[in-house]
Amino acid sequence: MTRTALVTGAASGQGRVVAQRLAAAGWQVAAVDVNADGLAVTAARSPNTHTYECDVSDAAQVRAVVDKVRSELGTIDRLVHAAGIGHVHASVLDHDVALIRKMMDVNYIGTVNLVQAVVPAMRDAGAGTVVLFASLVGWLPSPGMAGYTASKHAVIGFADSLSYELHGTGVRLLVLCPPGVETPFLDVVREENASVLGNAVPVTPEFVVDTLEKALAASKTPLYVFPGEARPAYYMRRFLPGVARAIIRRTIRPIE
């Protein structure tokens, strides 16, 4: 049987890698993004990749796209929600609130919109897989990224609550929490204020998706998946919070 995946953020970065790999594996892929040109690149030479423009922060647009995908491709078997944006500033005390609100709308409300549009049908059918992209910074805040961190922390809290609702329904939920990833998002961060990155070395989108695929292939997986150095960083924040804060204060010093 043909399986269908809906992948957001599919015009670039991790979403593009996910969409292209699923298509190569024979899935029907609904590639969703606001960037039409990027979607065209993702779908190039892939007859089983279908593109849909959508602003995930707009609930009406999300529901319309989900309905269209179902009418054209059938049941959605997997949701991979990778869409997100980021803005940084040396200090949250004078960071443009409009940018913080936009991050919350796209990163958090966008997650809510996709889950509400897609997951009820999965729950009713007793089958499906949901992958939500959060971030290590949702667990390990750092200077200069307060707004972005808050939006990803919201995703983590939302997913944790959602996991209780989905327990025993047959719907599998994974939340991916990568460290910094070399994507267009990181280019925006560098343009706005590269000093908030400290000396962190980003991983590749392919590495993150490799980790996701291994997690999906396992019979049992924790709710949260931490690629690469994200795992020891998470444990350090959890069990040695004072050490984690000291390291962050020493290595990340945003400048105006």
Side-chain angles (χ1 to χ4, degrees):
M1 294 179 62
T2 301
R3 297 171 294 177
T4 298
L6 189 155
V7 182
T8 71
S12 64
Q14 297 161 102
R16 171 178 285 172
V17 175
V18 170
Q20 290 179 331
R21 288 192 182 182
L22 286 171
W27 288 65
Q28 291 292 323
V29 176
V32 177
D33 206 293
V34 293
N35 181 350
D37 292 339
L39 284 175
V41 174
T42 299
R45 297 182 298 280
S46 177
N48 51 324
T49 300
H50 314 267
T51 62
Y52 303 84
E53 290 181 57
C54 177
D55 177 355
V56 298
S57 69
D58 186 319
Q61 286 190 41
V62 170
R63 290 192 178 277
V65 163
V66 169
D67 288 345
K68 187 175 183 181
V69 169
R70 286 184 174 132
S71 68
E72 295 178 351
L73 305 180
T75 300
I76 297 171
D77 303 291
R78 180 174 296 179
L79 167 65
V80 181
H81 180 44
I85 62 170
H87 296 282
V88 300
H89 197 65
S91 172
V92 70
L93 300 181
D94 59 355
H95 195 184
D96 187 346
V97 174
L99 293 178
I100 295 175
R101 182 177 292 112
K102 183 64 174 176
M103 285 188 283
M104 291 299 295
D105 285 344
V106 173
N107 298 347
Y108 171 52
I109 299 302
T111 300
V112 176
N113 289 340
L114 263 299
V115 165
Q116 290 186 344
V118 175
V119 174
M122 290 182 171
R123 177 202 58 202
D124 294 345
T129 301
V130 178
V131 178
L132 305 178
F133 274 64
S135 173
L136 175 63
V137 302
W139 300 96
L140 190 67
S142 61
M145 302 190 78
Y148 180 69
T149 292
S151 72
K152 290 301 186 178
H153 188 70
V155 171
I156 289 166
F158 174 79
D160 219 327
S161 293
L162 176 64
S163 70
Y164 289 102
E165 296 187 33
L166 295 181
H167 180 73
T169 66
V171 180
R172 187 180 188 187
L173 174 64
L174 279 77
V175 185
L176 202 59
C177 302
V181 186
E182 194 60 66
T183 63
F185 160 78
L186 210 59
D187 294 336
V188 172
V189 171
R190 291 187 180 109
E191 290 175 7
E192 291 183 339
N193 195 322
S195 68
V196 306
L197 298 174
N199 58 7
V201 178
V203 298
T204 66
E206 290 77 12
F207 174 79
V208 174
V209 179
D210 286 345
T211 304
L212 170 60
E213 290 177 345
K214 289 176 183 176
L216 289 170
S219 58
K220 292 184 178 180
T221 309
L223 173 60
Y224 300 105
V225 178
F226 297 93
E229 292 301 313
R231 178 172 293 277
Y234 163 74
Y235 283 123
M236 181 176 63
R237 176 70 171 89
R238 181 176 179 182
F239 297 112
L240 297 169
V243 173
R245 293 180 66 84
I247 292 173
I248 290 171
R249 281 197 299 267
R250 185 173 67 249
T251 59
I252 303 178
R253 298 182 178 181
I255 56 177
E256 297 286 351

